[in-house]
Amino acid sequence: MTDSREPRRGFWRENSLTVAFGIAFLVVLVCQAIAGHAEFNEQMTVESLQPLSFGEYLTSSDFAVDVTENWQPEFLQFFLYIFGTVYLVQRGSPESKPVGAAHTTTGVEG
């Protein structure tokens, strides 16, 4: 008996875009943490205060504020673009589904 379904491609192939962007996000977040920690401790030294360890910095409100200030506009922009291209339609737009097509339909001329 043969299986007429499409062969299983594997997790990494089917989710490579998500994995790649997830890894890129983590790399950038780690780099931001390292640079922020160095800058924060430099400022603490200038003010004659005790510097924080890396772990203390990661759990501080200063790190949380830096992350939200740097990432908030980008997250909002990409969320709106993704939401717009998935759920909204515009006649003639190459990013849009055909007007009147179901949400699961993509790449169909209409």
Side-chain angles (χ1 to χ4, degrees), residues 4-85:
S4 62
R5 294 181 294 170
E6 186 176 319
R8 178 127 170 100
R9 298 208 184 255
F11 173 81
W12 297 107
R13 179 166 171 86
E14 291 177 351
N15 298 292
S16 59
L17 184 63
T18 300
V19 171
F21 279 114
I23 290 171
F25 171 77
L26 291 176
V27 166
V28 170
L29 189 62
V30 167
C31 291
Q32 180 179 353
I34 292 168
H37 177 244
E39 181 183 348
F40 181 81
N41 279 342
E42 182 180 321
Q43 185 63 34
M44 295 293 276
T45 304
V46 167
E47 296 175 7
S48 299
L49 298 171
Q50 186 70 24
L52 295 179
S53 70
F54 188 68
E56 291 172 325
Y57 175 72
L58 289 180
T59 58
S60 72
S61 61
D62 289 292
F63 177 66
V65 167
D66 289 344
V67 169
T68 55
E69 284 179 354
N70 288 340
W71 291 85
Q72 183 181 14
E74 286 81 4
F75 281 139
L76 179 61
Q77 174 187 0
F78 282 114
F79 170 76
L80 291 175
Y81 181 75
I82 291 167
F83 174 79
T85 57

